[in-house]
């Protein structure tokens, strides 16, 4: 009995569903705030996908089916609005219809106004800022003036944190947008390196202060410990001397007795009392 073989279909990998998890090719984001850019990005990914899996040479109807399949179910309603036959329409014609739908004729005046007033946000990095400027400029029909205008707009609208870049670009007067971008990125990298070195030096200074404070604290504790241990030892002070004999002599007591016994009617000095004592109290 012949062994039954399992069937494995051969074909390109299945696309990921539009759940934000990534995959081979996500569906078209029809809720994007910038539909022209979203459609342009998706179409580019689709063309790359066809080439990567050798599908760009497939038949016309299969490539149309692949386009509609990868666009996702939300785009089917848009396709129905074209009122075309899926079996007869050509791929390029279908792409043009979706392009017209997602990228209606733009108001160049509004786009140029948007570009001239596009300022770098406070926490926006240079790459994001530059990319957005370029994408807006593509729709402004500047022709040969585009690079020169973008160079000026780029430097004019840098945020306050990048004033040093703006000043350097004005001094250097680069001839192209790419030259201005190189100057900006070199200065940004230099600033970051300086901040790193400054941070390292500050950490070293703090460590030195902490070590010095630690040693001082240990010295104070050692001194206090020595003092507390010394208090428990017997005192080495000499015993107080006995009262001098002159303080306890009989003459001294007699002199005091006479002072207490006799109270003169007028104030008398110590010298007068002494003379009376010497004469025997008479």
């Amino acid at each position: 009995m012949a062994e039954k073989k399992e069937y494995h279909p051969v074909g390109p990998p299945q696309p990921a569903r539009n759940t934000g998890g990534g995959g081979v090719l996500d569906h078209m984001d029809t809720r994007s705030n910038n539909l022209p850019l979203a459609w342009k990005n998706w179409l580019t990914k689709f063309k790359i996908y066809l080439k990567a899996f050798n599908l760009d040479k497939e038949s016309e109807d299969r490539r149309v089916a692949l386009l509609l399949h990868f666009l996702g179910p939300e785009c089917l309603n848009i396709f129905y609005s074209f009122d075309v036959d899926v079996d007869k329409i050509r791929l390029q014609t279908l792409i043009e219809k979706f392009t017209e739908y997602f990228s209606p004729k733009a108001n160049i005046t509004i786009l140029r106004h948007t570009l001239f007033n596009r300022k770098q946000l406070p926490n926006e990095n240079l790459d994001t800022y530059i990319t957005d400027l370029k994408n807006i400029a593509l729709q402004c029909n500047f022709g040969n003036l585009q690079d020169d205008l973008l160079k000026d707009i780029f430097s004019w609208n840098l945020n306050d944190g990048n004033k040093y870049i703006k000043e350097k670009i004005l001094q250097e007067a680069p001839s192209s947008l790419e030259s201005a971008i190189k100057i900006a990125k070199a200065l940004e990298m230099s600033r970051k390196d300086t901040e790193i070195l400054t941070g390292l030096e500050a950490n070293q200074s703090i460590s030195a202060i902490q070590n010095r404070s630690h040693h001082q604290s240990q010295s104070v504790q050692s001194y206090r410990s020595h003092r507390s241990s010394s208090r428990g030892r017997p005192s080495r002070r000499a015993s107080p001397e006995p009262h001098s004999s002159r303080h306890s002599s009989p003459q001294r007591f007699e002199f005091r007795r006479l002072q207490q016994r006799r109270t003169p009617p007028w104030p008398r000095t110590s010298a007068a009392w002494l003379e009376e004592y010497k004469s025997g109290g008479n």
Side-chain angles (χ1 to χ4, degrees), residues 132-144:
D132 198 37
L133 287 178
K134 289 180 176 179
N135 286 331
I136 298 173
L138 289 175
Q139 307 173 65
C140 293
N141 294 339
F142 285 132
N144 295 332

Side-chain angles (χ1 to χ4, degrees), residues 99-275:
T99 301
E100 184 178 354
Y101 180 88
F102 289 124
S103 304
K105 188 175 182 181
N107 188 323
I108 295 179
T109 301
I110 293 178
L111 287 172
R112 289 179 178 179
H113 181 270
T114 302
L115 179 64
F116 288 132
N117 290 277
R118 173 60 167 94
K119 300 182 183 299
Q120 184 187 18
L121 301 177
N123 297 321
E124 186 177 25
N125 60 53
L126 286 175
D127 288 330
T128 303
Y129 171 55
I130 293 165
T131 300
D132 198 37
L133 287 178
K134 289 180 176 179
N135 286 331
I136 298 173
L138 289 175
Q139 307 173 65
C140 293
N141 294 339
F142 285 132
N144 295 332
L145 294 175
Q146 178 170 306
D147 187 79
D148 202 39
L149 286 172
L150 275 180
K151 177 196 65 176
D152 293 337
I153 294 169
F154 165 70
S155 61
W156 293 340
N157 293 341
L158 288 167
N159 60 35
D160 292 339
N162 287 328
K163 279 186 177 180
Y164 68 101
I165 296 178
K166 183 187 299 185
E167 293 172 357
K168 187 65 175 179
I169 292 176
L170 291 175
Q171 292 174 0
E172 295 289 335
S175 58
S176 65
L177 173 63
E178 292 305 318
S179 298
I181 292 173
K182 287 181 181 179
I183 293 173
K185 290 190 173 182
L187 288 173
E188 184 182 50
M189 184 63 66
S190 177
R191 174 66 65 90
K192 289 181 179 179
D193 291 341
T194 302
E195 290 175 354
I196 292 172
L197 291 176
T198 303
L200 291 175
E201 292 174 356
N203 290 336
Q204 290 174 355
S205 299
I206 292 172
S207 298
I209 293 172
Q210 290 176 342
N211 291 335
R212 186 160 56 249
S213 299
H214 179 68
H215 291 318
Q216 290 176 351
S217 177
Q218 287 183 332
S219 300
V220 171
Q221 290 178 358
S222 177
Y223 172 75
R224 289 178 177 174
S225 177
H226 175 72
R227 289 277 295 175
S228 61
S229 61
S230 299
R231 289 175 181 173
R233 300 175 185 173
S235 176
R236 296 182 180 179
R237 294 180 180 177
S239 300
E241 295 182 357
H243 292 291
S244 175
S245 58
R246 66 182 180 86
H247 295 295
S248 58
S249 63
Q251 293 83 357
R252 185 70 176 175
F253 286 122
E254 181 65 17
F255 176 71
R256 290 181 177 177
R257 186 182 65 79
L258 289 173
Q259 284 181 323
Q260 295 173 357
R261 186 177 61 126
R262 303 183 64 178
T263 304
W266 62 86
R268 304 183 67 182
T269 63
S270 297
W273 282 105
L274 183 59
E275 289 298 327

Side-chain angles (χ1 to χ4, degrees), residues 76-93:
L76 281 179
N77 288 331
I78 300 172
F79 171 74
Y80 296 149
S81 68
F82 300 155
D83 193 21
V84 294
D85 189 345
V86 67
D87 296 323
K88 296 180 179 179
I89 191 170
R90 298 183 61 82
L91 177 64
Q92 186 58 37
T93 304

